[in-house]
Amino acid sequence: MHRRLPRRMPWALTASAGLCLLMGCVAMGASWEDLPPFAWSATHFTPATMGLPVGATAPECGGRVWQGNRTLLVVTRSAFDQKLLPILAEWAQLDSLDVLIAPDPCDSASTARLRTLAGGNIEILSSNDARSFYACFGVGELVPAITFLIDEHGQIVHRQTRLSLRSTSELEPAVLAFASGNPLPEATIPEHLLAQGEQAPWPDFELQSPDGETVSLDAGLIRFLLSGEYVEGQQGAIVFDALDVLRGEYPQVEFVWHLPYVDAAGHEGIARMAERANNLSWDLLWGNRPVDDYLAESLDLLAVWRHDVSSYAETIAAGWTVALDPGYRLQSWWLIYGAPTVLILDGDGTVLFPCSFFLADHRTGEPVLHPGALDALREVLDGAIEGGGDDAS
């Protein structure tokens, strides 16, 4: 029997959005078998719903004039953490930077409360205006908050999906440089919106194997990437076990198990931002414990997690390339938006199958994968191999 990982995992991926969408479809009368196996992602998580890319021109929206101003815009239809407002308020005090939030739909009283919490330096749009920004910036109903940095020429120079204590710590150097009119720091990770048929850029950084060796992703093999944790009996484990069967059928393909996690620097950033957020986040999430205790416990949990992953790499994941992703760099680089998700790339990086949720149906009490899911993936892999995508043979 496989050991269960610690309950407090050092990552924050979730399948909840996909599950809610699936259950919503079921509630409207569509059966599990009637839905295409990857319908949730194909409908709700595409370049058309994941927000405008870097390099795009910020559209005219609600009479907003972008030219002449540097703007930090947060568009959030869901998953916006109001406890981050003190940090955003600090950024709003920077010279030459406007901070604007298009919040999730709410009534006028909730909007007024949000404006009170935000303070006078942050502009909070009304619900009607916010809805127009969702459409203008292409942010779908299930997509987490996206932060856009828009320069004085109206161009989007950076974007970051998910706004959290961890991500604000990573985003702040870019915000400070942007507000000062300087180039973004070299360590800034750009998000790439990958549609089917596009060529994914290979990461310009390295990942890690469980024993600390370098894992590089570059041209050569067809790659099948699974992103997400393994916890016995849960979504990730069910999907992993099914895909391991698929892996045995395609020895020409490199199957990569991608595990993003919060590293030591990330935990330090969380603690630093929690303190700056007037300890509101700290009180609610960690019971107002001393920061040193939190950091020590986080490192202990991380050590246990890495030990378990090392064990998995030699047992359940034998034959897989296990790629640890400290600081969520690859997750951001290829905009891997949830877990468990799958992504298939040809040897040159062409996206054969875009990032998609792979979920099991639990309504009967026993988890069941969509009956057409593995065959849909087989079809993609067969086409890649027949088309000459196997450069390893």
Side-chain angles (χ1 to χ4, degrees):
M1 180 173 293
H2 306 305
R3 287 207 299 151
R4 185 179 297 272
L5 293 180
R7 294 182 66 184
R8 292 183 56 195
M9 301 303 298
W11 53 62
L13 297 176
T14 177
S16 59
L19 287 171
C20 290
L21 176 56
L22 170 61
M23 292 303 103
C25 292
V26 170
M28 292 189 298
S31 71
W32 172 253
E33 293 80 6
D34 290 339
L35 295 169
F38 299 98
W40 328 295
S41 298
T43 301
H44 290 267
F45 296 93
T46 70
T49 64
M50 292 292 289
L52 294 178
V54 170
T57 299
E60 294 185 8
C61 196
R64 180 71 47 177
V65 177
W66 305 106
Q67 286 74 14
N69 301 302
R70 288 187 167 247
T71 305
L72 184 151
L73 167 66
V74 180
V75 182
T76 168
R77 298 187 67 168
S78 62
F80 176 65
D81 187 352
Q82 295 185 7
K83 297 185 294 296
L84 299 174
L85 286 171
I87 296 169
L88 295 176
E90 288 185 21
W91 293 349
Q93 295 177 20
L94 297 170
D95 292 337
S96 305
L97 183 67
D98 296 333
V99 175
L100 173 65
I101 299 179
D104 53 320
C106 54
D107 56 34
S108 57
S110 298
T111 301
R113 179 176 180 275
L114 187 60
R115 287 173 177 155
T116 299
L117 291 172
N121 291 325
I122 299 177
E123 182 179 354
I124 307 293
L125 295 178
S126 68
S127 291
N128 288 337
D129 288 339
R131 289 188 182 94
S132 68
F133 273 69
Y134 308 153
C136 291
F137 283 82
V139 178
E141 62 181 334
L142 298 179
V143 175
I146 304 177
T147 303
F148 298 94
L149 299 184
I150 305 169
D151 69 14
E152 64 271 23
H153 307 294
Q155 186 178 61
I156 298 172
V157 300
H158 186 60
R159 50 162 287 163
Q160 183 166 306
T161 305
R162 294 187 188 89
L163 200 60
S164 65
L165 289 173
R166 179 187 61 81
S167 67
T168 53
S169 176
E170 297 172 354
L171 182 60
E172 185 165 59
V175 171
L176 297 178
F178 174 72
S180 301
N182 296 322
L184 301 186
E186 290 186 5
T188 304
I189 300 291
E191 294 182 341
H192 298 95
L193 298 170
L194 302 179
Q196 185 168 343
E198 293 185 356
Q199 190 162 5
W202 299 113
D204 58 4
F205 48 85
E206 296 173 338
L207 305 175
Q208 301 173 355
S209 69
D211 59 5
E213 298 297 321
T214 295
V215 175
S216 297
L217 299 180
D218 49 22
L221 297 169
I222 302 169
R223 285 193 175 87
F224 188 113
L225 186 140
L226 166 66
S227 184
E229 62 181 286
Y230 186 103
V231 179
E232 185 179 352
Q234 296 187 14
Q235 287 281 346
I238 296 161
V239 169
F240 187 97
D241 291 344
L243 293 180
D244 198 47
V245 173
L246 197 66
R247 181 188 62 80
E249 299 173 7
Y250 293 91
Q252 312 96 320
V253 177
E254 181 181 15
F255 279 69
V256 179
W257 184 19
H258 167 240
L259 291 167
Y261 69 97
V262 182
D263 56 7
H267 284 295
E268 291 173 0
I270 289 172
R272 182 172 63 253
M273 287 300 178
E275 290 183 307
R276 283 173 54 184
N278 297 329
N279 282 325
L280 292 175
S281 299
W282 199 260
D283 291 347
L284 292 174
L285 296 178
W286 294 292
N288 202 26
R289 293 179 296 154
V291 171
D292 288 345
D293 288 355
Y294 161 74
L295 292 176
E297 181 182 349
S298 297
L299 292 178
D300 288 344
L301 287 173
L302 183 56
V304 172
W305 175 75
R306 290 188 69 114
H307 177 273
D308 283 333
V309 171
S310 295
S311 175
Y312 288 166
E314 297 175 356
T315 54
I316 64 167
W320 287 72
T321 296
V322 181
L324 306 187
D325 182 12
Y328 292 69
R329 292 175 299 174
L330 185 66
Q331 179 187 323
S332 297
W333 182 267
W334 282 345
L335 199 54
I336 300 168
Y337 53 75
T341 50
V342 293
L343 170 70
I344 305 177
L345 301 176
D346 205 343
D348 64 358
T350 300
V351 178
L352 303 178
F353 189 82
C355 181
S356 302
F357 275 118
F358 192 175
L359 302 171
D361 180 12
H362 285 265
R363 285 175 298 146
T364 64
E366 291 292 331
V368 179
L369 294 173
H370 190 288
L374 288 180
D375 283 342
L377 297 174
R378 287 187 180 100
E379 183 177 352
V380 175
L381 294 174
D382 288 341
I385 294 171
E386 292 172 3
D390 174 23
D391 296 332
S393 59

